[in-house]
Amino acid sequence: MSPKTLRTTLALTTSAALAAATLALTNPGSAVASGPAPSSARGGATFVALKGGATTLRLDAGTAGVLTDNGISVAPASEARVKKGGIAFPVQGGLLNAKTLAGKVTHSGGLTFSAGGKDLTIRDFTINTRKKQLTAYVDQAGARVPVLNLGLGQAKVVAGKKHLTVSNVKAKLTAAAAGALNSYYSTDLFKGGLKIGTATLRGSIKILRG
């Protein structure tokens, strides 16, 4: 398998979670917000810094069934942990423009996919809210690649002075990733637009004034 195919295979990652969460912030018209919003209109705040928390992905039940039925297992890697609501990936850091919310959010931890004697590990998820893109590092390919399409129409945002929560973010598999997964695992089960799961970001924040 080529490094290019390995990279795209990542797309199934729970990174969905993170990307989705942060992206919801960049589309206020598609989210429900409550509490004081960290905008530059309030006291001249310039940036929103994320300094802790986690993004949790609850895998879609149908997708989980497909993986299980075909002998594909998914396990947390490094700092990622299984929690009651899904798999949690610690927020490592992040900096968003307080007015536009353009910026990046990074996470530690990852996932290891195993099937037919093959392992694939993806880790260190990064969200670029300006590009609306989630990337992850693939160990086997030695490269970072983009991964998921995100649905924000029903996302809910609750922002305060010290905490931020973005919930009900939908993640779907890209067509390129589906093709890579089918090739890597010798199957035709994966399709572009496949529901991956629902993500929730809960983070500690600090307003940095310019």
Side-chain angles (χ1 to χ4, degrees):
M1 166 155 297
S2 71
K4 180 178 180 181
T5 300
L6 282 173
R7 293 181 205 133
T8 340
T9 302
L10 290 187
L12 188 64
T13 105
T14 77
S15 314
L18 173 97
T22 303
L23 291 180
L25 296 174
T26 68
N27 293 273
S30 65
V32 177
S34 65
S39 78
S40 57
R42 296 173 49 251
T46 305
F47 294 102
V48 177
L50 283 87
K51 54 179 184 176
T55 295
T56 302
L57 176 70
R58 182 186 292 275
L59 190 64
D60 178 82
T63 299
V66 169
L67 294 175
T68 299
D69 291 346
N70 288 273
I72 300 175
S73 64
V74 183
S78 302
E79 296 88 350
R81 295 289 183 270
V82 175
K83 301 290 185 179
K84 183 178 181 180
I87 300 177
F89 304 90
V91 171
Q92 191 174 46
L95 192 65
L96 306 175
N97 181 285
K99 182 177 181 180
T100 66
L101 292 173
K104 295 182 180 180
V105 179
T106 61
H107 292 67
S108 58
L111 294 172
T112 296
F113 295 85
S114 301
K118 293 183 178 180
D119 291 339
L120 179 69
T121 298
I122 58 177
R123 66 178 76 249
D124 299 340
F125 309 133
T126 297
I127 299 300
N128 186 315
T129 61
R130 182 178 61 81
K131 293 182 178 180
K132 298 185 178 181
Q133 184 180 80
L134 169 73
T135 65
Y137 184 83
V138 188
D139 284 4
Q140 285 77 358
R144 175 171 291 277
V145 301
V147 287
L148 296 164
N149 293 324
L150 306 168
L152 307 172
Q154 299 177 6
K156 298 179 181 179
V157 180
V158 178
K161 293 181 179 180
K162 296 183 179 181
H163 300 283
L164 174 69
T165 299
V166 184
S167 60
N168 203 36
V169 179
K170 309 299 182 181
K172 294 183 178 181
L173 192 65
T174 66
L181 286 166
N182 285 335
S183 176
Y184 190 74
Y185 290 114
S186 300
T187 183
D188 60 359
L189 296 170
F190 299 99
K191 309 292 182 183
L194 177 68
K195 294 179 181 179
I196 297 303
T198 302
T200 299
L201 168 67
R202 294 185 177 88
S204 299
I205 62 174
K206 181 178 181 179
I207 306 300
L208 304 180
R209 304 183 184 279

